Amino acid sequence: MIDFHGYGWRLLGGALLTAELAVLSLVLALMIGLVVASIKLSRSSVLRGFALLYTTIIRGVPDLVMMMLLFYGGQIGVNMVVDQFNSWLGTNVFINVNAFMAGVITLAVIYGAYMSETFRGAFLAVDAGQMEAARAYGMSGWLAFRRVRFPLMMRHALPGINNNWMVLLKSTALVSIIGLSDMVHIADQATKATHQPFLFMVPVGLGYLAITSVSELAVRWLRQRYDAGFHTAKRGA
Amino acid sequence: MADNAIPLVVRDLHKSFNDNPVLEGLSLEAHEGDVISLIGASGSGKSTFLRCMNLLEIPNAGDIVVHGESVKFKTRRGEREPADWKQVERIRARLSMVFQGFNLWAHMTLIGNVIEAPVHVLGKSKKEAREHAMALLERVGLADRADYFPAQLSGGQQQRGAIARALAMDPEVMLFDEPTSALDPELVGDVLKVMRELADEGRTMVVVTHEMDFARDVSSQVIYLHQGRVEEAGKPEDVFGNPSSERLKQFLGPRF
């Protein structure tokens, strides 16, 4: 049995935190991406302008900088709002920005921008006749989206989503700078204490590989599901 | 006859795209069992006319009345648009459309396509919809293809499947937008045969077509459009047998 000098359980806890952070951020990023993509394809030029501004800023600024801006700036912003309420109401409340939530929101805001581009392209790749048929058969906007537009779009979006997810997962390592004990953070501490980088960094690398391998299975399942109907093996049979 | 007994009445329809007039005052009355063929050269406005009937295009002026129910319009920022999209959805569900490019939903099997709108738009039970769908697929000769995806079917099979999808709505009027134009010549016959059978059983149909034999043999009325106006209209024996317009004579050529 390998001796982790007592860091074994903390390392596992860090891995769990990494996975939680990544999955929660992914879910939020997907929602942001869908909404922003819809805005980019909408008729309102004002909304489209805001969406463009959002993706331009996010994609042009390093993740690390965004994270510090949102984490520290977020705390300052929350303090300002809370102070204002305190002075109005004569209360004395302090709200601490939870590092975990800050991490999730930051990653979601960053990767939501990338997701929105993936979704936008995927929506545009859907043949217009498919939605026309949906409308011609009396479907409401929401029903047509749910039954026709979304499932057809997903086929085109999946490779991009998968790509963004891989990058997002690895970006979770950045949260250690805002004080979260993810697995990289723990391994770094352990390495400094024991001077044995391989003992801790190799398991961390394997941990990321384990998460991506599991997610690869999920992506394969999704791909099969959304590819149904697009393989023409039986054509002309 | 009172309007509410007539399946589809269209009055004085106007439509322009970016100030280019495409339809300039077109009208039509489809009575129960009528088969109305719209013919004309490319760009004459016949497809746009048809697409206005189920509001895939929004006409700039004119009325659309389905069994007495008039589509309500309003004007917003100088653009005319339907006042009540719920009403539009309801009316579309009563007028099934068959497209030139079939437009079967690619991610659903053939039977999935046929039951989709009956289940999700009309609220029928899946079981009932499936039974009806199987009977319709039987009719168009595709019962053994029910579980195939559109990409696994030939163009002719897809279009017959699309006709089954249209029939599954129990439509009051069927709108056909050049249903055979995208088909290989040897596949056209099967689709036209199905359409002839529908006409024979008294379906009310409006058909945009380049198939002159079909228009002549099956229609109760033929409308020849030229540059967004009705150039000539009447019974097929008159329109084909004794056309008065010079343009129509040219359009029909020496065969008629």
Side-chain angles (χ1 to χ4, degrees):
Chain A
M1 189 64 198
I2 307 169
D3 179 14
F4 283 108
H5 303 286
Y7 282 100
W9 286 111
R10 288 189 60 201
L11 211 52
L12 268 182
L16 193 65
L17 184 95
T18 297
E20 282 172 3
L21 197 62
V23 170
L24 268 180
S25 310
L26 173 70
V27 171
L28 253 182
L30 286 172
M31 293 195 290
I32 293 174
L34 262 183
V35 170
V36 175
S38 306
I39 289 173
K40 282 179 176 169
L41 297 171
S42 76
R43 276 190 287 176
S44 159
S45 54
V46 178
L47 285 175
R48 280 207 313 269
F50 278 115
L52 183 68
L53 191 68
Y54 162 65
T55 43
T56 309
I57 290 175
I58 296 288
R59 297 199 299 171
V61 174
D63 294 3
L64 191 59
V65 176
M66 279 314 298
M67 184 154 299
M68 294 205 265
L69 266 177
L70 280 173
F71 182 61
Y72 297 115
Q75 181 68 67
I76 292 167
V78 168
N79 287 351
M80 271 161 52
V81 172
V82 171
D83 284 348
Q84 194 63 61
F85 274 98
N86 281 340
S87 70
W88 282 340
L89 305 170
T91 50
N92 188 19
V93 177
F94 178 75
I95 295 177
N96 193 11
V97 173
N98 172 313
F100 182 77
M101 279 323 290
V104 168
I105 289 169
T106 311
L107 287 170
V109 166
I110 294 169
Y111 287 90
Y114 292 97
M115 292 292 184
S116 78
E117 278 303 290
T118 301
F119 281 131
R120 192 182 69 91
F123 275 125
L124 289 175
V126 175
D127 171 36
Q130 300 280 305
M131 276 304 280
E132 194 153 81
R135 294 214 311 277
Y137 279 82
M139 289 192 190
S140 65
W142 168 241
L143 184 65
F145 178 84
R146 191 166 62 82
R147 299 290 306 171
V148 176
R149 205 152 182 243
F150 182 81
L152 285 169
M153 173 280 290
M154 277 303 279
R155 195 173 80 90
H156 300 286
L158 267 177
I161 291 175
N162 193 21
N163 211 25
N164 291 341
W165 153 247
M166 297 279 172
V167 184
L168 184 159
L169 172 66
K170 290 183 281 184
S171 290
T172 56
L174 294 176
V175 296
S176 55
I177 61 151
I178 58 172
L180 272 179
S181 300
D182 75 316
M183 63 177 162
V184 176
H185 187 71
I186 307 273
D188 186 43
Q189 284 182 332
T191 303
K192 281 173 179 150
T194 62
H195 301 290
Q196 288 182 289
F198 287 105
L199 178 63
F200 295 103
M201 286 306 171
V202 170
V204 165
L206 291 177
Y208 281 108
L209 266 180
I211 298 175
T212 51
S213 302
V214 171
S215 80
E216 201 60 52
L217 290 178
V219 169
R220 196 170 297 174
W221 180 80
L222 284 171
R223 197 168 290 167
Q224 251 167 28
R225 181 191 152 126
Y226 288 113
D227 262 358
F230 289 88
H231 294 294
T232 56
K234 270 195 277 181
R235 189 178 180 107
Chain B
M1 195 191 282
D3 263 7
N4 57 11
I6 309 176
L8 177 65
V9 178
V10 179
R11 270 194 226 103
D12 200 24
L13 226 57
H14 289 258
K15 172 72 182 172
S16 40
F17 292 111
N18 306 322
D19 294 331
N20 290 322
V22 180
L23 308 180
E24 299 191 77
L26 295 180
S27 302
L28 166 157
E29 264 186 33
H31 292 256
E32 196 77 48
D34 275 356
V35 176
I36 301 180
S37 289
L38 302 173
I39 61 172
S42 307
S44 59
K46 52 195 193 306
S47 275
T48 305
F49 187 29
L50 190 78
R51 290 163 57 82
C52 280
M53 295 177 198
N54 67 352
L55 298 135
L56 287 181
E57 306 288 352
I58 309 300
N60 303 119
D63 296 317
I64 296 156
V65 188
V66 176
H67 270 302
E69 183 178 355
S70 195
V71 176
K72 288 176 285 202
F73 290 99
K74 66 176 179 191
T75 306
R76 205 173 69 128
R77 291 186 203 150
E79 293 271 329
R80 194 172 187 242
E81 60 178 52
D84 178 3
W85 280 102
K86 286 272 158 249
Q87 183 201 30
V88 171
E89 284 155 16
R90 214 170 52 239
I91 281 178
R92 281 172 174 166
R94 297 160 71 184
L95 312 170
S96 290
M97 185 173 251
V98 175
F99 297 88
Q100 180 177 355
F102 329 132
N103 294 356
L104 286 173
W105 294 303
H107 59 305
M108 299 179 195
T109 59
L110 184 53
I111 189 146
N113 267 277
V114 179
I115 67 170
E116 179 64 19
V119 169
H120 289 100
V121 176
L122 303 180
K124 282 196 190 176
S125 78
K126 260 202 175 130
K127 184 170 170 286
E128 187 191 351
R130 283 190 81 86
E131 280 165 12
H132 191 200
M134 275 317 291
L136 292 170
L137 288 178
E138 188 83 48
R139 243 199 99 159
V140 299
L142 291 173
D144 57 337
R145 295 287 186 270
D147 294 320
Y148 282 50
F149 285 99
Q152 297 166 328
L153 302 169
S154 72
Q157 290 171 329
Q158 288 190 55
Q159 195 60 303
R160 282 183 283 140
I163 292 173
R165 170 172 75 170
L167 287 168
M169 299 296 280
D170 288 323
E172 289 155 38
V173 181
M174 295 180 81
L175 309 174
F176 291 84
D177 189 4
E178 300 197 31
T180 57
S181 298
L183 295 176
D184 293 338
E186 73 268 25
L187 303 174
V188 169
D190 288 343
V191 172
L192 288 181
K193 184 170 154 274
V194 171
M195 290 173 63
R196 279 168 200 267
E197 288 167 11
L198 295 176
D200 287 343
E201 74 180 37
R203 292 270 171 191
T204 312
M205 297 157 65
V206 181
V207 185
V208 172
T209 187
H210 288 292
E211 296 291 333
M212 293 305 144
D213 290 331
F214 176 88
R216 185 192 54 196
D217 300 344
V218 181
S219 314
S220 48
Q221 195 193 354
V222 178
I223 300 176
Y224 171 62
L225 297 184
H226 178 74
Q227 292 184 351
R229 295 173 198 273
V230 176
E231 175 91 5
E232 188 155 345
K235 293 195 175 310
E237 50 270 33
D238 298 331
V239 170
F240 286 97
N242 187 22
S244 54
S245 141
E246 241 354 274
R247 272 203 200 93
L248 176 56
K249 276 183 205 163
Q250 259 180 23
F251 175 74
L252 293 173
R255 263 189 65 221
F256 292 93

